[in-house]
Amino acid sequence: SAVISQKPSRDICQRGTSLTIQCQVDSQVTMMFWYRQQPGQSLTLIATANQGSEATYESGFVIDKFPISRPNLTFSTLTVSNMSPEDSSIYLCSVAEGGSNQPQHFGDGTRLSIL
Amino acid sequence: GQQVMQIPQYQHVQEGEDFTTYCNSSTTLSNIQWYKQRPGGHPVFLIQLVKSGEVKKQKRLTFQFGEAKKNSSLHITATQTTDVGTYFCLHHNFGNEKLTFGTGTRLTIIP
């Protein structure tokens, strides 16, 4: 299965700033996803990152707050913009080969704390 | 919107006892995937079920998809300390391409 490198692994940020999280895959993959997971909670899909086009956002998530790039089939970034304490969470990228109904492989996640 | 509930939310068992988590949906499911997330780790794919009534086994783990494709279960026989973690189901809806994780069941083992 694909090896996913996500960074940073953790960060502590000031309110009002922005942070960009990177997700690098060791092979070309069709689908890349970004999730948010509050401690002790389930995963919530933020968006599907589409290569060469705008990301597809889930209800409750907007591009201005969570801009996503996917310049090629092995790399994606998620930016958390104008952060507030409510954005403190774990952010995870995942990949699926062949379609969104295929098994997903996750990065180690980014633990983000906002002061 | 679609909700995928898991029960129980928490389960504490003695080592060697069996464990079962259930995934229930308000709508018919296209397929179900199961993931395990160790404390401090990321979710790891376990299995995918597609057919009505499907049963799959992985060593001590047995996965089942309901006949009506509205529920699924994961059963662990004779739990071991390595089974500790949170087990999530993930539903993919072919109709609207939505991916929905279940609420998760956290398993702790008493040695």
Side-chain angles (χ1 to χ4, degrees):
Chain A
S1 61
V3 176
I4 301 141
S5 174
Q6 186 176 337
K7 56 182 180 182
S9 58
R10 60 178 63 233
D11 207 339
I12 301 172
C13 300
Q14 294 294 324
R15 185 191 302 248
T17 63
S18 298
L19 177 75
T20 295
I21 302 168
Q22 298 181 2
C23 184
Q24 178 76 53
V25 192
D26 68 343
S27 60
Q28 293 186 342
V29 291
T30 310
M31 309 295 295
M32 293 184 78
F33 306 96
W34 287 98
Y35 287 89
R36 183 170 70 184
Q37 185 177 29
Q38 306 280 4
Q41 303 296 313
S42 185
L43 289 84
T44 301
L45 182 63
I46 297 172
T48 301
N50 303 309
Q51 194 265 332
S53 64
E54 271 193 9
T56 304
Y57 289 84
E58 297 299 308
S59 176
F61 298 96
V62 295
I63 188 171
D64 289 346
K65 176 66 176 177
F66 297 101
I68 287 171
S69 78
R70 187 159 180 208
N72 55 54
L73 293 175
T74 65
F75 186 77
S76 179
T77 67
L78 167 75
T79 299
V80 186
S81 303
N82 188 24
M83 290 183 285
S84 66
E86 293 73 36
D87 295 320
S88 296
S89 189
I90 298 170
Y91 292 85
L92 295 132
C93 72
S94 74
V95 304
E97 300 175 60
S100 59
N101 62 332
Q102 296 302 304
Q104 294 185 36
H105 303 283
F106 286 82
D108 289 338
T110 297
R111 186 178 295 270
L112 182 57
S113 299
I114 314 302
L115 302 179
Chain B
Q2 178 175 297
Q3 292 191 9
V4 184
M5 303 301 296
Q6 277 185 255
I7 55 172
Q9 185 177 2
Y10 303 96
Q11 185 79 63
H12 312 286
V13 301
Q14 288 281 148
E15 187 174 9
E17 291 182 339
D18 292 356
F19 159 77
T20 304
T21 173
Y22 300 90
C23 182
N24 300 307
S25 173
S26 56
T27 60
T28 302
L29 307 176
S30 304
N31 68 23
I32 275 281
Q33 296 172 6
W34 284 94
Y35 292 79
K36 176 184 178 182
Q37 185 174 26
R38 293 180 182 271
H42 59 266
V44 175
F45 172 75
L46 296 175
I47 205 85
Q48 177 166 286
L49 304 171
V50 179
K51 300 176 183 177
S52 168
E54 189 171 17
V55 178
K56 288 188 176 180
K57 293 191 176 184
Q58 288 180 351
K59 297 182 180 178
R60 295 179 293 105
L61 277 62
T62 302
F63 305 84
Q64 189 164 356
F65 205 179
E67 292 290 343
K69 299 184 75 173
K70 285 191 173 184
N71 54 70
S72 180
S73 65
L74 158 59
H75 179 82
I76 302 178
T77 303
T79 54
Q80 300 174 358
T81 55
T82 53
D83 296 324
V84 164
T86 302
Y87 293 84
F88 292 100
C89 58
L90 170 63
H91 166 238
H92 172 259
N93 186 320
F94 282 135
N96 58 15
E97 294 296 313
K98 285 191 70 67
L99 291 166
T100 307
F101 268 92
T103 47
T105 297
R106 182 180 298 179
L107 172 64
T108 56
I109 307 290
I110 305 166

